[in-house]
Structures are given as structure tokens and as C-alpha cells.
Coordinates of all heavy atoms in Angstrom, one line a residue:
M1 N 27.5 -43.5 -2.6 CA 26.2 -43.2 -2.8 C 25.3 -44.3 -2.6 O 25.8 -45.5 -2.6 CB 25.9 -42.7 -4.2 CG 26.6 -41.4 -4.7 SD 26.5 -41.1 -6.3 CE 24.9 -40.1 -6.3
T2 N 24.1 -44.1 -2.1 CA 23.2 -45.2 -1.8 C 22.4 -45.7 -3.0 O 22.3 -45.0 -3.9 CB 22.2 -44.9 -0.7 OG1 21.3 -43.8 -1.3 CG2 22.9 -44.3 0.6
C3 N 21.9 -46.9 -2.8 CA 21.0 -47.4 -3.9 C 19.9 -46.4 -4.2 O 19.6 -46.2 -5.3 CB 20.5 -48.7 -3.3 SG 19.1 -49.5 -4.4
Q4 N 19.3 -45.8 -3.2 CA 18.2 -45.0 -3.4 C 18.6 -43.6 -4.2 O 17.8 -43.3 -5.0 CB 17.7 -44.5 -2.0 CG 16.2 -44.1 -1.9 CD 15.6 -44.4 -0.6 OE1 16.3 -44.3 0.4 NE2 14.3 -44.8 -0.6
Q5 N 19.8 -43.1 -3.8 CA 20.3 -42.0 -4.6 C 20.5 -42.3 -6.1 O 20.3 -41.5 -6.9 CB 21.7 -41.6 -4.1 CG 21.5 -40.7 -2.8 CD 22.9 -40.4 -2.3 OE1 23.6 -41.1 -1.9 NE2 23.1 -39.1 -2.2
L6 N 20.6 -43.6 -6.4 CA 20.9 -44.0 -7.8 C 19.7 -44.5 -8.4 O 19.8 -45.3 -9.4 CB 22.1 -45.0 -7.7 CG 23.4 -44.4 -7.5 CD1 24.5 -45.6 -6.9 CD2 24.0 -43.6 -8.6
G7 N 18.6 -44.3 -8.0 CA 17.3 -44.6 -8.6 C 16.8 -45.9 -8.1 O 15.9 -46.6 -8.7
G8 N 17.4 -46.4 -7.0 CA 17.0 -47.8 -6.5 C 16.0 -47.6 -5.3 O 15.3 -46.6 -5.2
A9 N 16.0 -48.6 -4.4 CA 14.9 -48.5 -3.3 C 15.4 -48.8 -2.0 O 14.6 -48.9 -1.1 CB 13.9 -49.5 -3.8
C10 N 16.7 -49.0 -1.7 CA 17.2 -49.2 -0.4 C 18.4 -48.4 0.0 O 18.8 -47.6 -0.7 CB 17.5 -50.7 -0.2 SG 19.0 -51.2 -1.1
D11 N 18.8 -48.6 1.2 CA 19.9 -47.8 1.7 C 21.3 -48.4 1.6 O 22.3 -47.7 2.2 CB 19.7 -47.6 3.3 CG 18.5 -46.6 3.5 OD1 18.2 -45.7 2.7 OD2 18.0 -46.8 4.7
K12 N 21.4 -49.4 0.7 CA 22.7 -50.1 0.5 C 23.7 -49.0 -0.1 O 23.3 -48.3 -0.9 CB 22.6 -51.2 -0.5 CG 23.8 -51.9 -0.7 CD 23.6 -53.1 -1.7 CE 24.8 -53.7 -2.1 NZ 25.6 -54.4 -1.0
V13 N 24.9 -48.9 0.5 CA 25.8 -47.9 0.1 C 26.8 -48.6 -0.9 O 27.4 -49.6 -0.7 CB 26.6 -47.5 1.3 CG1 27.7 -46.5 0.8 CG2 25.6 -46.8 2.3
F14 N 27.1 -47.9 -2.0 CA 28.1 -48.3 -3.0 C 29.2 -47.3 -2.9 O 29.0 -46.1 -2.8 CB 27.4 -48.2 -4.4 CG 26.3 -49.1 -4.7 CD1 25.0 -48.4 -4.8 CD2 26.3 -50.4 -4.6 CE1 23.9 -49.0 -5.0 CE2 25.1 -51.1 -4.7 CZ 23.8 -50.5 -5.0
R15 N 30.4 -47.9 -3.0 CA 31.6 -47.1 -3.0 C 32.4 -47.4 -4.2 O 32.8 -48.5 -4.5 CB 32.4 -47.4 -1.8 CG 31.8 -46.9 -0.5 CD 32.7 -47.2 0.8 NE 31.9 -47.0 1.9 CZ 31.5 -45.9 2.5 NH1 32.0 -44.8 2.0 NH2 30.8 -45.8 3.5
A16 N 32.8 -46.4 -5.0 CA 33.6 -46.6 -6.1 C 34.5 -45.2 -6.5 O 34.2 -44.2 -5.9 CB 32.6 -46.9 -7.4
D17 N 35.5 -45.4 -7.3 CA 36.3 -44.4 -7.6 C 35.7 -43.4 -8.6 O 36.0 -42.3 -8.7 CB 37.7 -44.7 -8.0 CG 38.5 -45.4 -6.7 OD1 38.2 -45.0 -5.6 OD2 39.2 -46.3 -7.0
T18 N 35.0 -44.0 -9.5 CA 34.4 -43.3 -10.6 C 32.9 -43.5 -10.6 O 32.3 -44.5 -10.1 CB 35.0 -43.7 -12.0 OG1 34.6 -45.1 -12.2 CG2 36.5 -43.6 -12.1
F19 N 32.2 -42.6 -11.2 CA 30.8 -42.6 -11.3 C 30.3 -43.8 -12.2 O 29.3 -44.5 -11.9 CB 30.1 -41.4 -11.9 CG 28.7 -41.4 -11.9 CD1 27.9 -41.5 -10.7 CD2 27.9 -41.6 -13.1 CE1 26.5 -41.4 -10.7 CE2 26.6 -41.7 -13.2 CZ 25.8 -41.6 -11.9
E20 N 31.1 -44.1 -13.3 CA 30.7 -45.1 -14.1 C 30.8 -46.5 -13.3 O 29.9 -47.5 -13.5 CB 31.7 -45.2 -15.3 CG 31.5 -44.3 -16.4 CD 31.9 -42.8 -15.9 OE1 32.6 -42.5 -14.9 OE2 31.3 -41.8 -16.7
E21 N 31.8 -46.6 -12.5 CA 32.0 -47.8 -11.6 C 30.8 -47.9 -10.7 O 30.2 -49.0 -10.4 CB 33.3 -47.7 -10.8 CG 34.0 -49.0 -10.6 CD 35.4 -48.7 -9.9 OE1 36.0 -48.0 -10.3 OE2 35.5 -49.3 -8.8
M22 N 30.5 -46.8 -10.1 CA 29.3 -46.7 -9.2 C 28.0 -47.1 -9.9 O 27.2 -48.0 -9.4 CB 29.1 -45.3 -8.8 CG 28.1 -45.0 -7.8 SD 28.6 -45.5 -6.1 CE 29.5 -44.1 -5.6
A23 N 27.8 -46.7 -11.2 CA 26.6 -47.0 -11.8 C 26.6 -48.5 -12.1 O 25.5 -49.2 -12.1 CB 26.5 -46.2 -13.2
E24 N 27.7 -49.1 -12.4 CA 27.9 -50.5 -12.7 C 27.5 -51.4 -11.3 O 26.7 -52.3 -11.5 CB 29.3 -50.8 -13.1 CG 29.5 -52.1 -13.9 CD 28.6 -52.3 -15.0 OE1 28.4 -51.1 -15.8 OE2 28.0 -53.3 -15.3
L25 N 28.0 -50.9 -10.2 CA 27.7 -51.5 -8.9 C 26.2 -51.6 -8.7 O 25.5 -52.4 -8.3 CB 28.5 -50.9 -7.7 CG 29.9 -51.1 -7.6 CD1 30.5 -50.3 -6.6 CD2 30.2 -52.6 -7.5
S26 N 25.6 -50.4 -8.9 CA 24.1 -50.2 -8.7 C 23.3 -51.0 -9.6 O 22.2 -51.6 -9.2 CB 23.8 -48.7 -8.8 OG 22.5 -48.6 -9.4
K27 N 23.7 -51.1 -10.8 CA 23.1 -52.0 -11.9 C 23.1 -53.5 -11.4 O 22.1 -54.2 -11.5 CB 23.8 -51.8 -13.2 CG 22.8 -52.0 -14.3 CD 23.5 -51.5 -15.7 CE 24.1 -52.4 -16.5 NZ 24.8 -51.8 -17.6
K28 N 24.3 -53.9 -10.9 CA 24.4 -55.4 -10.5 C 23.6 -55.6 -9.4 O 22.9 -56.7 -9.4 CB 25.9 -55.6 -10.1 CG 26.6 -56.7 -10.8 CD 27.9 -56.8 -10.1 CE 29.0 -57.0 -11.2 NZ 30.4 -57.1 -10.6
H29 N 23.5 -54.7 -8.4 CA 22.6 -54.8 -7.2 C 21.1 -54.9 -7.7 O 20.5 -55.7 -7.2 CB 23.0 -53.7 -6.3 CG 22.0 -53.5 -5.2 ND1 21.8 -54.4 -4.1 CD2 21.0 -52.5 -5.1 CE1 20.8 -54.0 -3.4 NE2 20.3 -52.8 -3.8
G30 N 20.9 -53.9 -8.6 CA 19.5 -53.9 -9.1 C 19.0 -55.2 -9.8 O 17.9 -55.7 -9.5
M31 N 20.0 -55.9 -10.5 CA 19.7 -57.1 -11.1 C 19.5 -58.2 -10.0 O 18.6 -59.0 -10.2 CB 20.8 -57.5 -12.1 CG 20.9 -56.7 -13.4 SD 19.3 -56.7 -14.2 CE 19.1 -58.3 -14.8
E32 N 20.3 -58.2 -9.0 CA 20.1 -59.2 -8.0 C 18.9 -59.1 -7.3 O 18.1 -60.0 -7.0 CB 21.4 -59.0 -6.9 CG 22.6 -59.7 -7.2 CD 23.8 -59.2 -6.4 OE1 23.6 -58.6 -5.3 OE2 24.9 -59.3 -6.8
M33 N 18.4 -57.8 -6.9 CA 17.1 -57.6 -6.4 C 16.0 -57.9 -7.3 O 15.1 -58.5 -6.8 CB 17.1 -56.1 -5.9 CG 18.0 -55.7 -4.9 SD 17.5 -56.5 -3.3 CE 19.0 -57.4 -3.0
F34 N 16.2 -57.7 -8.5 CA 15.2 -58.0 -9.5 C 15.0 -59.6 -9.4 O 13.9 -59.9 -9.5 CB 15.7 -57.5 -10.9 CG 14.8 -58.0 -12.0 CD1 13.5 -57.2 -12.3 CD2 15.0 -59.0 -12.9 CE1 12.8 -57.4 -13.3 CE2 14.1 -59.3 -13.9 CZ 13.0 -58.5 -14.2
Q35 N 16.1 -60.3 -9.6 CA 16.0 -61.7 -9.5 C 15.5 -62.3 -8.2 O 14.7 -63.3 -8.2 CB 17.5 -62.4 -9.8 CG 17.7 -62.5 -11.3 CD 19.1 -62.6 -11.6 OE1 20.0 -62.7 -10.7 NE2 19.5 -62.3 -12.9
A36 N 15.6 -61.5 -7.2 CA 15.1 -61.9 -5.8 C 13.5 -61.6 -5.8 O 12.9 -61.9 -4.9 CB 15.9 -61.3 -4.8
G37 N 13.1 -60.8 -6.7 CA 11.8 -60.4 -6.8 C 11.4 -59.4 -5.8 O 10.2 -59.3 -5.3
D38 N 12.4 -58.5 -5.5 CA 12.1 -57.5 -4.4 C 11.1 -56.4 -4.8 O 11.4 -55.8 -5.8 CB 13.4 -56.9 -3.9 CG 13.2 -55.8 -2.8 OD1 13.3 -56.3 -1.7 OD2 13.0 -54.6 -3.2
A39 N 10.0 -56.3 -4.4 CA 8.9 -55.5 -4.8 C 9.3 -54.0 -5.0 O 9.1 -53.3 -5.8 CB 7.7 -55.6 -4.0
A40 N 10.0 -53.5 -3.9 CA 10.4 -52.1 -3.9 C 11.3 -51.7 -4.9 O 11.2 -50.8 -5.7 CB 11.0 -51.7 -2.5
H41 N 12.3 -52.7 -5.3 CA 13.2 -52.5 -6.3 C 12.6 -52.7 -7.8 O 13.0 -52.0 -8.7 CB 14.4 -53.5 -6.3 CG 15.4 -53.1 -5.2 ND1 15.2 -53.3 -3.8 CD2 16.6 -52.3 -5.2 CE1 16.2 -52.8 -3.1 NE2 17.1 -52.3 -4.0
L42 N 11.7 -53.7 -7.8 CA 10.9 -53.8 -9.1 C 10.2 -52.5 -9.5 O 10.3 -52.0 -10.6 CB 9.9 -54.9 -9.0 CG 10.5 -56.3 -8.8 CD1 9.4 -57.3 -8.7 CD2 11.4 -56.6 -10.1
E43 N 9.7 -51.8 -8.5 CA 9.0 -50.6 -8.7 C 10.0 -49.5 -9.1 O 9.7 -48.7 -10.1 CB 8.2 -50.1 -7.5 CG 7.2 -49.1 -7.6 CD 6.5 -48.9 -6.4 OE1 6.2 -49.6 -5.5 OE2 6.3 -47.6 -6.1
A44 N 11.1 -49.4 -8.4 CA 12.2 -48.4 -8.7 C 12.7 -48.7 -10.2 O 12.9 -47.7 -11.0 CB 13.2 -48.6 -7.8
M45 N 12.8 -49.9 -10.6 CA 13.3 -50.3 -11.9 C 12.3 -49.9 -13.0 O 12.7 -49.4 -14.1 CB 13.6 -51.7 -11.9 CG 15.1 -52.1 -11.4 SD 15.4 -53.8 -11.4 CE 16.6 -53.8 -12.5
A46 N 11.0 -50.0 -12.6 CA 10.0 -49.7 -13.6 C 10.1 -48.2 -13.9 O 10.0 -47.7 -15.0 CB 8.7 -50.1 -13.1
K47 N 10.3 -47.3 -12.8 CA 10.4 -46.0 -13.0 C 11.7 -45.6 -13.8 O 11.6 -44.7 -14.6 CB 10.5 -45.3 -11.6 CG 9.2 -45.1 -11.0 CD 9.3 -44.1 -9.6 CE 8.2 -44.3 -8.8 NZ 8.4 -44.3 -7.4
M48 N 12.7 -46.4 -13.6 CA 13.9 -46.1 -14.3 C 13.8 -46.3 -15.8 O 14.3 -45.7 -16.8 CB 15.2 -46.9 -13.9 CG 15.6 -46.4 -12.5 SD 16.3 -44.7 -12.6 CE 17.8 -44.8 -13.6
Q49 N 13.0 -47.5 -16.1 CA 12.8 -47.9 -17.4 C 11.9 -46.8 -18.1 O 12.1 -46.6 -19.4 CB 12.1 -49.3 -17.4 CG 13.1 -50.4 -17.7 CD 12.7 -51.7 -17.2 OE1 11.5 -51.9 -16.9 NE2 13.7 -52.6 -17.2
E50 N 10.9 -46.2 -17.4 CA 10.2 -45.2 -17.9 C 11.0 -44.0 -18.4 O 10.9 -43.4 -19.3 CB 9.2 -44.8 -16.8 CG 7.9 -44.0 -17.3 CD 7.1 -44.8 -18.3 OE1 6.9 -46.1 -18.2 OE2 6.7 -44.2 -19.2
L51 N 11.9 -43.7 -17.4 CA 12.9 -42.7 -17.7 C 13.7 -42.9 -19.0 O 14.0 -42.0 -19.8 CB 13.8 -42.4 -16.5 CG 14.7 -41.3 -16.4 CD1 13.9 -39.9 -16.3 CD2 15.8 -41.4 -15.3
M52 N 14.2 -44.2 -19.1 CA 15.1 -44.5 -20.2 C 14.3 -44.4 -21.6 O 15.0 -44.4 -22.6 CB 15.5 -46.0 -20.0 CG 16.7 -46.0 -19.1 SD 17.1 -47.8 -18.9 CE 17.7 -47.9 -17.2
K53 N 13.0 -44.3 -21.6 CA 12.3 -44.2 -22.9 C 12.6 -42.9 -23.6 O 12.4 -42.8 -24.8 CB 10.8 -44.2 -22.6 CG 10.3 -45.7 -22.4 CD 8.8 -45.6 -22.2 CE 8.3 -47.0 -21.7 NZ 7.0 -47.0 -21.1
S54 N 13.1 -42.0 -22.8 CA 13.6 -40.6 -23.3 C 15.0 -40.5 -23.1 O 15.5 -40.4 -22.0 CB 12.8 -39.5 -22.6 OG 13.5 -38.3 -22.8
P55 N 15.8 -40.6 -24.2 CA 17.3 -40.6 -24.0 C 17.7 -39.2 -23.4 O 18.7 -39.2 -22.7 CB 17.7 -40.6 -25.5 CG 16.7 -41.4 -26.2 CD 15.5 -41.0 -25.6
A56 N 17.0 -38.1 -23.7 CA 17.3 -36.8 -23.2 C 17.1 -36.8 -21.6 O 18.0 -36.3 -21.0 CB 16.6 -35.7 -23.9
D57 N 15.9 -37.3 -21.2 CA 15.6 -37.4 -19.8 C 16.8 -38.2 -19.1 O 17.3 -38.0 -17.9 CB 14.3 -37.9 -19.5 CG 13.2 -37.0 -19.8 OD1 13.5 -35.8 -20.1 OD2 12.1 -37.3 -19.8
M58 N 17.0 -39.3 -19.7 CA 18.0 -40.4 -19.1 C 19.4 -39.6 -19.0 O 20.0 -39.7 -18.0 CB 18.1 -41.5 -20.0 CG 18.8 -42.6 -19.4 SD 18.2 -43.2 -17.9 CE 19.6 -43.8 -17.2
Q59 N 19.8 -38.9 -20.1 CA 21.0 -38.2 -20.1 C 21.1 -37.3 -18.9 O 22.0 -37.1 -18.3 CB 21.3 -37.5 -21.5 CG 22.6 -36.9 -21.6 CD 23.8 -38.0 -21.6 OE1 23.6 -39.0 -21.9 NE2 24.9 -37.5 -21.4
S60 N 20.1 -36.4 -18.7 CA 20.1 -35.4 -17.8 C 20.0 -35.9 -16.4 O 20.7 -35.4 -15.4 CB 19.0 -34.3 -18.0 OG 17.7 -34.9 -17.8
W61 N 19.3 -37.1 -16.3 CA 19.4 -37.8 -14.9 C 20.8 -38.3 -14.6 O 21.3 -38.0 -13.6 CB 18.3 -39.0 -15.0 CG 18.4 -39.7 -13.7 CD1 17.5 -39.5 -12.7 CD2 19.2 -40.9 -13.3 NE1 17.8 -40.4 -11.7 CE2 18.8 -41.2 -11.9 CE3 20.1 -41.5 -13.9 CZ2 19.3 -42.3 -11.3 CZ3 20.9 -42.6 -13.3 CH2 20.4 -42.9 -12.0
F62 N 21.3 -38.8 -15.6 CA 22.8 -39.3 -15.5 C 23.8 -38.3 -15.1 O 24.6 -38.4 -14.2 CB 23.1 -40.2 -16.8 CG 24.4 -41.0 -16.6 CD1 24.2 -42.3 -16.2 CD2 25.6 -40.5 -17.1 CE1 25.4 -43.1 -16.2 CE2 26.7 -41.3 -16.9 CZ 26.6 -42.7 -16.4
E63 N 23.6 -37.2 -15.9 CA 24.5 -36.0 -15.6 C 24.3 -35.5 -14.3 O 25.3 -35.1 -13.6 CB 24.3 -34.9 -16.6 CG 24.7 -35.2 -18.0 CD 26.3 -35.5 -18.2 OE1 27.0 -34.9 -17.5 OE2 26.7 -36.4 -19.1
G64 N 23.1 -35.4 -13.8 CA 22.8 -34.9 -12.4 C 23.5 -35.7 -11.4 O 24.0 -35.2 -10.5
K65 N 23.3 -37.1 -11.5 CA 23.8 -37.9 -10.6 C 25.3 -38.0 -10.5 O 25.9 -38.0 -9.5 CB 23.3 -39.4 -10.9 CG 21.9 -39.6 -10.7 CD 21.5 -39.4 -9.2 CE 19.9 -39.3 -8.9 NZ 19.7 -38.9 -7.5
K66 N 25.9 -37.8 -11.7 CA 27.4 -37.8 -11.8 C 27.9 -36.5 -11.0 O 28.8 -36.6 -10.3 CB 27.8 -37.7 -13.3 CG 29.3 -38.0 -13.4 CD 29.6 -38.2 -14.8 CE 31.1 -38.3 -15.0 NZ 31.5 -38.6 -16.3
K67 N 27.2 -35.5 -11.3 CA 27.6 -34.2 -10.5 C 27.4 -34.4 -9.0 O 28.3 -33.9 -8.2 CB 26.8 -33.0 -10.9 CG 27.1 -32.4 -12.2 CD 26.6 -30.9 -12.4 CE 26.9 -30.4 -13.8 NZ 25.9 -30.6 -14.8
E68 N 26.3 -35.1 -8.6 CA 26.1 -35.3 -7.2 C 27.3 -36.3 -6.6 O 27.7 -36.0 -5.6 CB 24.8 -36.2 -7.1 CG 23.9 -35.7 -6.0 CD 22.6 -36.5 -5.9 OE1 21.7 -36.2 -6.9 OE2 22.5 -37.4 -5.2
F69 N 27.7 -37.2 -7.4 CA 28.9 -38.1 -7.1 C 30.1 -37.4 -6.9 O 30.9 -37.4 -6.0 CB 28.9 -39.2 -8.1 CG 30.2 -40.0 -8.0 CD1 30.3 -41.0 -7.0 CD2 31.3 -39.8 -8.7 CE1 31.4 -41.8 -6.8 CE2 32.4 -40.6 -8.6 CZ 32.5 -41.6 -7.6
E70 N 30.3 -36.5 -7.8 CA 31.6 -35.7 -7.9 C 31.6 -34.6 -6.8 O 32.7 -34.2 -6.4 CB 31.8 -34.9 -9.3 CG 32.4 -35.9 -10.2 CD 32.1 -35.6 -11.8 OE1 31.6 -34.4 -11.9 OE2 32.5 -36.3 -12.6
A71 N 30.4 -34.2 -6.3 CA 30.3 -33.3 -5.3 C 30.6 -33.9 -3.8 O 30.7 -33.3 -2.9 CB 29.0 -32.5 -5.3
L72 N 30.5 -35.3 -3.8 CA 30.7 -35.9 -2.5 C 32.2 -35.7 -2.0 O 33.1 -35.7 -2.8 CB 30.5 -37.4 -2.6 CG 29.0 -37.7 -3.0 CD1 29.0 -39.4 -3.3 CD2 28.1 -37.6 -1.9
P73 N 32.3 -35.5 -0.7 CA 33.7 -35.4 -0.2 C 34.3 -36.7 -0.3 O 33.7 -37.9 -0.2 CB 33.4 -35.1 1.4 CG 32.0 -35.6 1.7 CD 31.2 -35.6 0.4
E74 N 35.7 -36.7 -0.6 CA 36.5 -37.9 -0.5 C 36.5 -38.5 1.0 O 36.6 -37.8 1.9 CB 38.0 -37.6 -0.8 CG 38.1 -37.0 -2.3 CD 38.3 -38.0 -3.3 OE1 38.4 -39.2 -3.0 OE2 38.4 -37.6 -4.5
E75 N 36.5 -39.9 0.9 CA 36.4 -40.5 2.2 C 37.7 -41.2 2.5 O 38.4 -41.7 1.6 CB 35.2 -41.5 2.2 CG 34.0 -40.8 2.6 CD 32.8 -41.7 2.5 OE1 32.4 -42.2 3.6 OE2 32.3 -41.9 1.5
Ligands
ZN1 ZN1 18.8 -51.4 -3.3

């Protein structure tokens, strides 16, 4: 899945066996971009933080992305 698909802002592709691993990679990348002061990622992270204010919204976002991940063909 790409950074963008995971709530980020670029086309960087993450590959992992599990969605949890994928989320971890995306989080790490997000932190790197945050530290680099990348404006597009800062904006994307602000949106995610807005989403996290509601645990129910966050949960449904997470579940939706997990389904998206599981629907991907094996490569
Ligand atoms: Zn990115």
C-alpha cells in the first residue's frame, strides 16, 4: 500500500505481511517526514490527528484500511 492510501501524502510504497506491520512502517515514515518538516505530510498528519480525536472514527478508518490491505492480491 502507498503512503497516501494510509493517510499520508506521497506515493511511497510499503510492503508488509500484516496490516499491523504496514501501519508501523507508515507511522515510521510519517515521523521521518514530520522531522524533515515536509509540508504535505504535516497536513496529512494533522488530518489523522483530527480523526484520532474520535476513537470510533479512528476504529472504522483502521478497519476499512485493513480490509483494503487484505483485499490486495498477493505479490
Ligand atoms: Zn509519505
Side-chain angles (χ1 to χ4, degrees):
M1 289 174 91
T2 64
C3 174
Q4 211 149 32
Q5 281 177 303
L6 292 160
C10 70
D11 289 332
K12 186 178 168 69
V13 177
F14 303 112
R15 290 178 197 283
D17 292 331
T18 65
F19 182 70
E20 283 71 19
E21 212 177 305
M22 183 78 83
E24 204 50 47
L25 288 174
S26 144
K27 206 162 96 185
K28 231 187 230 171
H29 165 71
M31 286 311 291
E32 276 167 21
M33 290 294 118
F34 178 78
Q35 270 155 17
D38 184 88
H41 284 81
L42 290 180
E43 200 181 311
M45 281 176 107
K47 273 191 198 140
M48 284 304 287
Q49 261 152 17
E50 201 57 40
L51 189 70
M52 279 179 216
K53 283 182 189 162
S54 160
D57 285 353
M58 189 59 209
Q59 185 65 23
S60 67
W61 180 90
F62 195 84
E63 292 297 325
K65 289 297 166 186
K66 192 171 174 177
K67 282 205 184 90
E68 227 177 278
F69 171 77
E70 280 161 1
L72 292 175
E74 297 271 353
E75 284 176 85

